[in-house]
Amino acid sequence: EPGADPEDVSKEPELYCKECPEGEGSGREWQQLGHQACPRNTTIETIDLPHNYWRASKRTTDIHKCTLWDVEVSDGELASPCLGGDGSESSPASRYCVEGHKGALCEGCVESGSYFDGVNGCKSCPPPTYLAVFVGVVIGGASMLALCIERLRRIDNARLQRAKRHLLRVVALLGLQPKLKILVSFYQVINVLRLREAYDVRVHRAFTEWLDFVAVVDLDYLLGKLALPRDCIRSMGLRLAYLEVWPYGALVFALIWIWIYAAVEQALIAHDSRSKGSPHSSRRSGCEVSLSSPRSLSRPNRPRKPWWHKPLRRSIFATIVIFYLALPVVSRGLFVGASIRCLEFRLDDDPKGETVRYLEDNVGVKCGSDEAIEPVFWTFFVLWPVLVPLAFFLLVLHVRRSVRSRRPSMLANSTAFLWRDYNAPFIYWEIVDLLRKLFLTTFVFFVDENNGNARLLRLVVAVFISALYLTVLALMRPFKRSDDLYLACMSNFLLIRCFTSGIVIKLCDESGAFVDYSCAYYTGLPGSYEATVLVGVLSITMLVVAVLVVAMNIATASANPTIRLVSSGCEPALELSEGCEHDGFVSHVWSTGQDQAATIVRRLQMLLPGICLWLDIENMQSVASLESAVGGSSVFIVFLSQGYFKSRNCRRELYAAHAASKPVIAVRETEQAKGALSVQGLWTEGREGCAFEAGAEAPADAVLGRVFAEAPVDWVRLHVFQLESLKMIALRMLKRSPYYRDRNEEITGGLRVFGEMRSVSFASPMTILAITTNAGGLAAAHEVAGAVDPRRGEGVAVEAAESALRRGGADLSRSGRLLLYLNSATFSQPATAATLRLVLERGVPVTLLHEQDGGREACQFCELFDLAPRELQLAPYKLFDTIAVPLYQTAELRAVSLRQALYDMGARPLRSSVFAACRGRLRWRFGPRRVAVQRERTDLDPDLDSERSAGSSEPPTPPTSPQRSRECAIERL
């Protein structure tokens, strides 16, 4: 001890002589460095500190380790602001520091225009104009980007528009908005791990440069390093304002752009209106309704919305997005960028002795130098981490009724960023996730305030919070899409892995408090380098596995059979009409339509997630509530089958829909055995049934006119045809939806669903054969050939079967396919059966096309067994062993029938990639081909076999008498 009497020291040395102090976190590092800090007769004042160590005064043994720079001086030794030594050659302000540095840990700068950057020491601050130039560059770049995007949007180029539509479809199919939000949240949390003030997880310096790219997109880094280093702002109040107010500047810039763009757009619209005449001159007055026009029933004239509605919605949306992205960064900046917490250093060894306190954020500044900082800090704390989540919660709370009733208001549509990705019971989940991020990035600073960054408690708490959130997330399943749920779970699992890995790295950190024994004792690793390598390998492996799992789930979810808009690829928006509780009321008669009505409801609920349909077997509480249920539905779906108009309850529902002017969607049964009737038959039954309705205010023809104002949708049970019928029902419902009354252009392209029959093409040339005596067969063959997509694949030709047989050739069975058109007149002429027999004997596959239109002599398939010759039904021909393709009258179903017939002939749906197309071509050329007729070799003329095996080395067999007789028969035909 200084000032001790030598005699007293020699008498009682244990009272005066102490062990040489070791620096905080140094352990045996001094001895490993070969540094002798305490030679003989050393006092506290003369302790020789090694390089990279500092103490507050020469009267204390409280020694601290400094931060190394990334600059190598000699023999692998890195530079440090702490010079070490006994401090005799330096002034008290810069004792133990290199030249130009002062303060705690030598992280303060002597010159007033300098700042400590933590990497290369003190650097000169940029001039005041630098910030203005930086802001100007950012605003100019953002403006140029916006102008370029708008210019590309207005370019009238067909190829560019197709690419744009394709991109929008892909974005809608993958559902990128929730996935981007999940990834942004993951980055915002993981970026805090490396911050010294938060968790202080430092990888080995050999890998530091590999992780520098993480800070490139960090808003706090861009603002605090590139724009203007925050340490150059001496006043802590101004520093807080600089770090906390910048989102408002970004918001003002965005709002100015939105309203200027809206004003210019409105001026252009007004100019076009003046040059072309008033756009409202052709609008009809009143509410004219025509039963012959279903669009007039569902789209009455409504007042045009004011021009400022769209920019107002965009302004609210921009405000929410900017505050959503800035909240974790700005809240974290309260502690990282302008912390009011102080670090205390002892000036002597007396427990009650004098201490000095420096700001944790800037250890070059003593605490108490800016007395007004604490009120400013708490003001911004309430303004950001408290009020912003509260404002988001109040917004969702205000729109919850319109969201859950599926009648979103203008404010609900503007705030859809907060609730659209979640199921109706969990529309507040975005607030929960926001609080989780705030705790892991901001509120964690309140855990062990003084030394939390140097210990493991914060990491342990972060692991617990992340595990708890992952458990709740997996149990609640708040996301609408399963792939979003999987991605959110994987991101939180990776966060848990990162926090646990941070514990391992912190135990092995060379500059930490555990380097003496903890790394080898608890982890079995020798040092920080090995720990970083292990954590890196495990992280990369888990990341690859997570990406593969999420990609597989995204691909699976994108293939779910849900109806989407062709124009954008998005799922259609479902919005209820004012005063309605259900999207549709399904009316049917129990005797012949109950099972299929339930099927329609179940399939629509699968294809249109969130749709609400009223069905009596599921929703009816009493028969007396039928009229109120009809009035509470947006549309009236009637399933027409035999006996519907004879049911009194069905007539009640029908008259209630007519009285309430509900749009009617008629669906007609097509199976004769299940109660199918033609449209004329339904009219007749309707007139007879409605004529006896007592107390009916509307005449029967008026009610039936509303039902049959639009051609009924033919209901078919076969899968591909059923999907088309469901698409037609859904499209008519969407046309009558309030959402699409003003957005009709979004559904003009129609709907699509995974699993539907797409456009097809052939990988090799194909010839469709048709028998000329088959009434309607040649026209059907041309219609089928016209359904081939002309953009890809090989051409398709149509040829008479008689001429093809007369021409002969060994490749007839390979590149030809006979199309047999089936109706009641197919076998009316004997020549049809004779030609068909010859075609089958040549091994040509046959496709059966069964007409379903009663006006084209359609018949039941069972009747064809009586009309066709018996020998064609038996071996070796077995004509009806091949499944017939039904040919429907409705345009949408007829297109599916034609594509199905082509698919039966060997055509395949168009593929989107070259590899898939080549794979389809190889499969076509070398894969198995289905043969319609199989015959035993003993029943065939061997000469036909020789023709079929053309190209072999053996010469063909000369024609024999049976073959010649068949050729004569062909000539006679």
Side-chain angles (χ1 to χ4, degrees):
E1 293 184 3
D5 190 354
E7 295 183 1
D8 295 337
V9 172
S10 61
K11 293 179 181 179
E12 299 178 317
E14 67 276 1
L15 296 179
Y16 297 95
C17 296
K18 299 180 181 179
E19 294 184 0
C20 186
E22 295 179 347
E24 179 185 13
S26 64
R28 299 182 179 86
E29 186 175 358
W30 289 11
Q31 286 75 11
Q32 295 173 359
L33 294 175
H35 183 83
Q36 185 65 27
C38 300
R40 182 181 293 272
N41 295 328
T42 297
T43 64
I44 294 180
E45 296 180 350
T46 61
I47 292 177
D48 186 16
L49 299 183
H51 178 71
N52 196 40
Y53 283 86
W54 174 89
R55 60 178 177 169
S57 73
K58 302 181 68 173
R59 295 179 289 112
T60 180
T61 57
D62 183 21
I63 301 174
H64 301 269
K65 191 174 184 179
C66 304
T67 302
L68 290 172
W69 296 343
D70 290 338
V71 180
E72 187 173 332
V73 290
S74 62
D75 298 334
E77 183 181 1
L78 298 179
S80 171
C82 299
L83 186 64
D86 57 3
S88 59
E89 299 179 0
S90 304
S91 64
S94 58
R95 183 176 288 124
Y96 308 110
C97 300
V98 298
E99 184 180 357
H101 293 71
K102 67 175 184 177
L105 303 177
C106 300
E107 293 185 4
C109 297
V110 176
E111 297 183 7
S112 58
S114 301
Y115 72 98
F116 184 79
D117 69 345
V119 178
N120 296 313
C122 292
K123 297 176 63 176
S124 299
C125 294
T129 57
Y130 176 79
L131 180 61
V133 173
F134 181 84
V135 173
V137 170
V138 172
I139 293 177
S143 302
M144 291 298 296
L145 179 62
L147 289 175
C148 292
I149 294 176
E150 180 61 23
R151 178 61 179 170
L152 289 175
R153 193 177 70 87
R154 292 183 176 273
I155 293 178
D156 188 11
N157 182 276
R159 181 175 298 179
L160 185 62
Q161 294 299 326
R162 283 196 304 270
K164 174 187 173 183
R165 289 194 299 267
H166 182 70
L167 178 62
L168 292 177
R169 290 194 196 101
V170 172
V171 171
L173 185 65
L174 297 179
L176 289 184
Q177 176 177 302
K179 294 174 179 59
L180 289 177
K181 289 164 63 176
I182 293 171
L183 295 177
V184 168
S185 300
F186 176 78
Y187 171 78
Q188 289 174 338
V189 175
I190 205 66
N191 191 39
V192 185
L193 270 174
R194 64 181 180 85
L195 298 180
R196 184 184 67 180
E197 296 83 355
Y199 299 100
D200 196 20
V201 176
R202 305 178 188 179
V203 299
H204 192 271
R205 57 177 178 268
F207 303 94
T208 303
E209 296 181 358
W210 293 13
L211 300 179
D212 287 344
F213 71 93
V214 177
V216 173
V217 293
D218 186 10
L219 297 178
D220 183 62
Y221 174 82
L222 294 176
L223 192 68
K225 296 293 183 181
L226 298 183
L228 180 65
R230 54 176 176 260
D231 292 339
C232 292
I233 305 176
R234 301 302 177 186
S235 172
M236 296 302 294
L238 292 178
R239 183 184 298 186
L240 273 175
Y242 171 69
L243 295 175
E244 304 299 311
V245 176
W246 68 264
Y248 296 99
L251 178 60
V252 170
F253 170 72
L255 295 181
I256 291 175
W257 252 107
I258 290 172
W259 287 95
I260 289 178
Y261 176 80
V264 172
E265 188 178 36
Q266 183 65 22
L268 293 176
I269 293 175
H271 179 269
D272 294 341
S273 300
R274 288 192 300 268
S275 60
K276 298 180 181 180
S278 176
H280 310 291
S281 59
S282 59
R283 180 178 296 178
R284 295 183 296 175
S285 60
C287 297
E288 301 178 12
V289 177
S290 173
L291 290 178
S292 60
S293 176
R295 188 170 177 181
S296 63
L297 289 173
S298 60
R299 195 174 182 182
N301 294 325
R302 297 191 301 172
R304 188 181 295 271
K305 293 181 180 180
W307 69 271
W308 47 266
H309 266 229
K310 184 181 292 186
L312 180 60
R313 289 199 307 268
R314 292 176 177 174
S315 300
I316 297 175
F317 174 78
T319 303
I320 292 175
V321 172
I322 291 176
F323 278 70
Y324 173 85
L325 295 176
L327 178 59
V329 178
V330 172
S331 301
R332 183 188 68 199
L334 284 170
F335 296 88
V336 177
S339 176
I340 63 172
R341 293 184 294 122
C342 298
L343 298 178
E344 189 174 32
F345 301 94
R346 290 185 297 167
L347 295 179
D348 55 48
D349 287 345
D350 187 356
K352 298 182 180 180
E354 185 181 1
T355 60
V356 62
R357 301 169 70 237
Y358 291 90
L359 286 175
E360 183 183 25
D361 177 62
N362 190 354
V363 292
V365 179
K366 292 184 178 181
C367 291
S369 59
D370 197 340
E371 298 296 340
I373 181 61
E374 189 165 353
V376 178
F377 171 86
W378 288 110
T379 300
F380 282 115
F381 183 85
V382 174
L383 186 63
W384 279 103
V386 177
L387 289 184
V388 172
L390 181 61
F392 286 171
F393 172 76
L394 293 178
L395 282 174
V396 179
L397 182 67
H398 181 73
V399 303
R400 72 187 188 284
R401 295 185 182 274
S402 62
V403 171
R404 290 176 175 173
S405 63
R406 290 195 290 108
R407 291 189 295 270
S409 59
M410 190 273 290
L411 182 60
N413 288 325
S414 304
T415 59
F417 182 84
L418 298 174
W419 55 264
R420 179 159 289 173
D421 304 322
Y422 307 102
N423 294 316
F426 302 100
I427 59 176
Y428 300 101
W429 193 262
E430 194 67 58
I431 316 302
V432 176
D433 184 70
L434 201 60
L435 293 176
R436 173 191 67 93
K437 288 193 300 182
L438 284 176
F439 184 88
L440 295 177
T441 59
T442 303
F443 300 145
V444 73
F445 286 95
F446 292 111
V447 178
D448 193 4
E449 294 186 46
N450 294 326
N451 299 303
N453 60 335
R455 297 173 181 173
L456 302 178
L457 181 59
R458 289 182 180 177
L459 289 171
V460 173
V461 173
V463 170
F464 173 78
I465 294 298
S466 300
L468 178 63
Y469 180 81
L470 177 60
T471 304
V472 176
L473 181 67
L475 293 176
M476 295 298 183
R477 306 177 68 88
F479 288 92
K480 289 182 178 179
R481 293 173 56 116
S482 59
D483 54 341
D484 296 335
L485 176 66
Y486 298 145
L487 182 60
C489 291
M490 291 303 299
S491 66
N492 281 276
F493 181 74
L494 289 176
L495 277 180
I496 296 175
R497 199 276 316 154
C498 291
F499 286 124
T500 53
S501 300
I503 295 177
V504 175
I505 293 178
K506 204 169 184 65
L507 286 172
C508 298
D509 188 4
E510 296 176 351
S511 62
F514 311 98
V515 72
D516 283 348
Y517 59 88
S518 300
C519 183
Y521 183 80
Y522 290 110
T523 67
L525 299 172
S528 175
Y529 181 85
E530 291 77 9
T532 303
V533 171
L534 176 63
V535 170
V537 171
L538 293 178
S539 301
I540 294 175
T541 303
M542 294 183 62
L543 183 62
V544 171
V545 173
V547 169
L548 291 177
V549 172
V550 172
M552 292 176 60
N553 284 283
I554 291 175
T556 304
S558 61
N560 287 337
T562 56
I563 289 178
R564 298 180 180 272
L565 301 176
V566 174
S567 59
S568 62
C570 304
E571 293 183 357
L574 301 176
E575 181 178 338
L576 285 173
S577 301
E578 188 67 28
C580 295
E581 300 177 357
H582 299 86
D583 292 287
F585 182 98
V586 182
S587 177
H588 65 280
V589 61
W590 281 25
S591 59
T592 57
Q594 184 177 14
D595 58 339
Q596 294 308 303
T599 301
I600 292 174
V601 172
R602 184 176 64 255
R603 293 302 306 275
L604 283 177
Q605 289 173 346
M606 294 174 60
L607 296 175
L608 290 173
I611 194 172
C612 183
L613 298 175
W614 193 97
L615 186 64
D616 52 3
I617 59 177
E618 297 179 358
N619 304 94
M620 185 173 63
Q621 299 179 352
S622 65
V623 180
S625 62
L626 288 177
E627 286 78 6
S628 61
V630 172
S633 302
S634 298
V635 298
F636 184 78
I637 304 174
V638 51
F639 187 78
L640 300 174
S641 59
Q642 187 175 8
Y644 175 84
F645 293 101
K646 296 179 181 179
S647 171
R648 183 177 180 276
N649 288 331
C650 292
R651 295 197 300 270
R652 284 177 54 193
E653 297 165 357
L654 190 59
Y655 272 91
H658 181 77
S661 299
K662 295 294 181 181
V664 178
I665 300 175
V667 183
R668 186 179 70 89
E669 175 65 81
T670 58
E671 288 284 343
Q672 295 292 336
K674 302 295 184 179
L677 291 177
S678 64
V679 176
Q680 187 61 37
L682 292 170
W683 266 95
T684 303
E685 183 185 282
R687 285 195 181 97
E688 295 175 356
C690 295
F692 298 100
E693 183 65 23
E697 299 180 358
D701 287 345
V703 177
L704 295 177
R706 179 176 288 270
V707 174
F708 296 102
E710 195 172 5
V713 176
D714 288 340
W715 175 251
V716 186
R717 288 169 171 76
L718 296 178
H719 176 66
V720 291
F721 297 99
Q722 188 182 95
L723 283 178
E724 198 64 33
S725 299
L726 292 168
K727 282 172 51 182
M728 296 168 64
I729 297 173
L731 182 59
R732 295 187 184 186
M733 292 184 66
L734 294 175
K735 287 182 177 179
R736 292 155 176 80
S737 169
Y739 182 84
Y740 291 104
R741 288 175 185 170
D742 295 330
R743 303 173 178 87
N744 192 58
E745 67 281 354
E746 296 184 16
I747 56 176
T748 51
L751 306 175
R752 63 183 181 89
V753 62
F754 181 82
E756 65 181 347
M757 181 58 68
R758 298 178 295 169
S759 299
V760 296
S761 63
F762 289 96
S764 61
M766 171 60 62
T767 301
I768 301 178
L769 305 179
I771 302 175
T772 56
T773 56
N774 180 15
L778 196 59
H782 282 285
E783 190 175 4
V784 170
V788 177
D789 196 302
R791 295 174 296 176
R792 299 182 189 173
E794 302 292 341
V796 178
V798 178
E799 186 180 0
E802 293 83 354
S803 61
L805 291 172
R806 188 180 302 110
R807 173 173 47 83
D811 60 342
L812 186 60
S813 61
R814 299 177 183 176
S815 62
R817 192 79 179 229
L818 177 67
L819 180 69
L820 185 61
Y821 179 71
L822 298 177
N823 60 6
S824 59
T826 299
F827 299 100
S828 59
Q829 299 187 28
T832 302
T835 306
L836 179 59
R837 186 183 304 109
L838 294 174
V839 171
L840 293 175
E841 290 176 354
R842 294 293 297 270
V844 179
V846 178
T847 297
L848 304 179
L849 194 62
H850 184 207
E851 181 61 66
Q852 303 291 315
D853 185 6
R856 300 184 181 183
E857 302 183 25
C859 64
Q860 294 296 314
F861 193 79
C862 59
E863 299 177 12
L864 294 172
F865 289 92
D866 299 329
L867 298 175
R870 184 66 175 173
E871 61 175 335
L872 292 178
Q873 304 179 35
L874 302 177
Y877 305 106
K878 296 183 180 180
L879 175 62
F880 294 123
D881 279 9
T882 303
I883 298 176
V885 177
L887 183 62
Y888 293 96
Q889 178 184 6
T890 309
E892 294 83 357
L893 296 177
R894 197 173 188 86
V896 176
S897 299
L898 299 177
R899 292 174 182 173
Q900 184 67 35
L902 290 168
Y903 189 86
D904 188 68
M905 293 179 182
R908 291 296 177 262
L910 293 179
R911 301 176 185 272
S912 57
S913 64
V914 177
F915 174 77
C918 295
R919 183 179 59 184
R921 182 180 293 272
L922 292 175
R923 183 180 300 170
W924 165 268
R925 182 163 298 177
F926 301 108
R929 295 286 304 278
R930 189 176 64 160
V931 180
V933 179
Q934 295 181 355
R935 294 162 292 174
E936 297 180 1
R937 185 172 296 273
T938 56
D939 295 335
L940 295 178
D941 190 1
D943 299 29
L944 291 180
D945 288 345
S946 64
E947 289 185 13
R948 195 175 308 159
S949 59
S952 61
S953 58
E954 299 180 359
T957 305
T960 58
S961 56
Q963 182 180 356
R964 179 57 184 166
S965 63
R966 281 194 296 272
E967 293 177 355
C968 294
I970 294 173
E971 291 176 1
R972 287 195 299 269
L973 289 174

